[in-house]
Amino acid sequence: MDAVNASGRRRQWFAFSAVALGTFCSVMDHGSISVALPSISHHFAANIPTTQWIVIVFSLTIVMLLLPMGRLGDTKGLGNIYRLGCVILVFATLAAGVSSSLMVLIGARIVQGLGAAMTQGIGMAIVVSVFPQGERGKAIGLIMTTVGAGAIAGLAFGGILVDWFGWRAVF
């Protein structure tokens, strides 16, 4: 019986770790991009209001797709959609990092928003589904702590990365 419980606990914390890592990276990315906007603007010889679309399209895409992605996770499997969202997010991030123009970068950010909507819309559902009723509050609280830590880390590490390596390093 203890082996079954230990296996279940490992599964819970493995799922939690995957969601926490994805959440942390997604939130950290958002903050680091904000710090990089002046450098991106200078690189592409664009004004700041135009460059701000890099942040805006990412947020808008997430907002528009968050609920539909949650529903898709309900129908196609939470883990499947979460993993697909992570893959999309990674490849779109790489595309953003090698963007040759501001429009390509904005397009990559839209695709990043799709991946982020998949992971953010499903991450909490995964955590809730693997933890028993009595431990869900703790797990949700820890995920929300990860959100706060990612927000702080994004600003701090984003500034360091841009200063040392240039704006592409935030991707």
Side-chain angles (χ1 to χ4, degrees), residues 9 13 16 127 131 134-144:
R9 298 288 296 162
W13 290 106
F16 173 85
V127 169
F131 280 88
E135 295 181 23
R136 286 182 187 156
K138 175 175 66 173
I140 291 170
L142 288 171
I143 288 292
M144 296 315 294

Side-chain angles (χ1 to χ4, degrees), residues 73-159:
D74 289 340
T75 60
K76 301 296 182 190
L78 297 174
N80 294 333
I81 301 303
Y82 188 83
R83 284 187 294 274
L84 179 60
C86 288
V87 169
I88 290 170
L89 200 48
V90 166
F91 282 111
T93 300
L94 293 172
V98 298
S99 296
S100 58
S101 72
L102 186 58
M103 289 302 114
V104 171
L105 179 54
I106 289 172
R109 290 291 285 170
I110 291 170
V111 178
Q112 272 186 307
L114 167 65
M118 295 168 96
T119 59
Q120 291 176 18
I122 291 171
M124 194 65 72
I126 290 172
V127 169
V128 168
S129 72
V130 298
F131 280 88
Q133 182 77 27
E135 295 181 23
R136 286 182 187 156
K138 175 175 66 173
I140 291 170
L142 288 171
I143 288 292
M144 296 315 294
T145 300
T146 303
V147 170
I152 293 167
L155 296 172
F157 290 128

Side-chain angles (χ1 to χ4, degrees), residues 28-30 37 40 54 71 79 96 115 117 123 126 133 152 160 164:
M28 190 174 96
D29 174 68
H30 192 66
L37 284 179
I40 295 169
I54 296 166
R71 178 67 180 135
I126 290 172
Q133 182 77 27
I152 293 167
I160 292 168
W164 288 356

